[in-house]
């Protein structure tokens, strides 16, 4: 392979990869789930072959990149439209500490030992497990932590000496996503669909289909985000 051909191949591979990366969006970079990692590895391998492997025709390499990108975009669309699709492509978060107790089964499923869990907690500036109320391992491998109330930082509300609201639920819980009611979560909270309907009516919303996202807060109130028109 001549120098000119190498330069041409690298230039084409770079431009095609750059354009396709822009087309796929920021999610492939910002949220590295198993699916995103697989996609990045695949596209990188194809681009590498296109750039330096003279047995790979430029046309074939470009077609392979485009087809791989189309598969990625299609699966992303499924991921956006279907909760079941999201569970297949990205999995679901795992509660590894619940009400201050370590969930050993969740650690086994995620194949994380106590040393790794403590390392993840230290990255959140938490050096003692007794300070943690809830910890959730997200689908991108990051750990989200809710500290116990006594360990949480003081807020402006606290400084106003206002009494704390009653905590009815341990965590904020999703009850509507993409216009679809999560009956399982409602059941876990011991709430009826009729309660949800009443809360939506109070917000002048006729149907759950008009809601993009709704979440029951710890004090029992409902946070609602309408769908964009």
């Amino acid at each position: 392979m001549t120098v000119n051909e190498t330069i041409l191949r690298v230039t084409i591979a770079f431009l095609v990869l750059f354009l396709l990366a822009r087309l796929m969006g920021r999610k492939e970079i910002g949220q590295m789930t198993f699916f995103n990692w697989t996609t990045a590895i695949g596209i990188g391998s194809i681009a590498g072959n296109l750039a330096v492997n003279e047995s790979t025709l430029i046309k074939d390499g470009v077609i392979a990149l485009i087809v791989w990108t189309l598969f990625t975009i299609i699966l992303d669309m499924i991921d956006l439209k279907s909760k079941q699709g999201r569970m297949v492509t990205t999995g679901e978060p795992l509660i590894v500490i619940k009400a201050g107790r370590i969930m050993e089964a969740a650690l086994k499923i995620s194949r994380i030992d106590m040393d790794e869990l403590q390392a993840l907690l230290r990255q959140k500036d938490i050096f003692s497990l007794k300070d943690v109320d809830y910890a959730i391992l997200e689908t991108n491998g990051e750990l989200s932590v809710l500290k116990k109330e006594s360990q949480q930082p003081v807020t402006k509300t606290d400084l106003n000496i206002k009494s704390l609201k009653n905590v009815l639920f341990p965590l904020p819980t999703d009850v509507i996503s993409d216009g679809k009611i999560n009956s399982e979560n409602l059941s876990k909270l011991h709430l009826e669909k009729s309660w949800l309907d009443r809360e939506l009516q109070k917000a002048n919303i006729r149907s759950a289909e008009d809601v993009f996202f709704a979440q029951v807060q710890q004090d029992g109130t409902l946070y609602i985000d309408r769908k964009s028109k």
Side-chain angles (χ1 to χ4, degrees):
M1 186 162 52
T2 64
V3 174
N4 288 338
E5 185 179 355
T6 301
I7 294 173
L8 177 63
R9 282 175 170 272
V10 171
T11 302
I12 292 174
F14 174 80
L15 291 175
V16 172
L17 190 58
F18 176 77
L19 291 172
L20 295 179
R22 292 285 293 174
L23 183 63
M24 285 186 291
R26 298 179 183 179
K27 193 169 97 169
E28 300 303 316
I29 300 172
Q31 302 174 5
M32 210 62 171
T33 62
F34 294 117
F35 170 62
N36 302 138
W37 181 80
T38 303
T39 298
I41 292 294
I43 287 181
S45 299
I46 295 171
N49 271 312
L50 172 60
V52 299
N53 191 346
E54 59 182 334
S55 64
T56 301
L57 296 176
I58 293 177
K59 178 188 69 174
D60 293 340
V62 172
I63 291 173
L65 280 172
I66 292 173
V67 171
W68 193 285
T69 301
L70 287 175
F71 276 131
T72 302
I73 293 173
I74 290 170
L75 287 174
D76 274 339
M77 292 175 66
I78 294 173
D79 185 68
L80 288 171
K81 297 292 183 180
S82 169
K83 186 175 180 64
Q84 290 75 19
R86 281 195 291 273
M87 291 181 65
V88 172
T89 58
T90 62
E92 56 183 346
L94 285 174
I95 298 177
V96 292
I97 297 178
K98 182 178 181 180
R101 299 192 62 182
I102 298 168
M103 299 288 100
E104 296 179 24
L107 288 179
K108 288 180 180 178
I109 292 172
S110 57
R111 294 192 292 279
I112 289 179
D113 58 38
M114 283 303 301
D115 291 337
E116 290 175 302
L117 177 60
Q118 291 182 83
L120 290 171
L121 289 171
R122 287 194 293 271
Q123 291 175 15
K124 300 292 183 180
D125 296 326
I126 297 172
F127 291 83
S128 175
L129 286 166
K130 70 180 180 63
D131 296 338
V132 181
D133 194 14
Y134 276 79
I136 300 173
L137 186 66
E138 305 294 352
T139 56
N140 60 359
E142 292 190 6
L143 192 69
S144 299
V145 181
L146 177 66
K147 292 183 180 180
K148 289 183 178 177
E149 187 174 346
S150 61
Q151 300 298 321
Q152 293 178 10
V154 177
T155 65
K156 292 181 179 179
T157 302
D158 297 326
L159 296 176
N160 288 334
I161 318 176
K162 291 182 178 179
S163 60
L164 294 174
K165 293 182 179 179
N166 293 328
V167 177
L168 301 179
F169 306 111
L171 284 174
T173 305
D174 310 347
V175 290
I176 299 177
S177 181
D178 296 337
K180 295 180 181 178
I181 297 174
N182 191 323
S183 301
E184 183 179 351
N185 282 355
L186 276 176
S187 178
K188 287 179 181 178
L189 297 176
H190 304 291
L191 296 173
E192 302 290 339
K193 183 178 177 297
S194 56
W195 173 87
L196 182 60
D197 291 336
R198 287 195 298 272
E199 293 299 311
L200 292 177
Q201 288 173 6
K202 289 178 184 178
N204 296 320
I205 298 174
R206 295 182 179 180
S207 170
E209 294 178 356
D210 299 328
V211 178
F212 180 69
F213 181 79
Q215 186 180 64
V216 177
Q217 304 303 298
Q218 290 175 281
D219 61 1
T221 58
L222 186 67
Y223 166 80
I224 302 173
D225 184 77
R226 297 171 184 258
K227 284 187 177 179
S228 300
K229 294 184 180 179

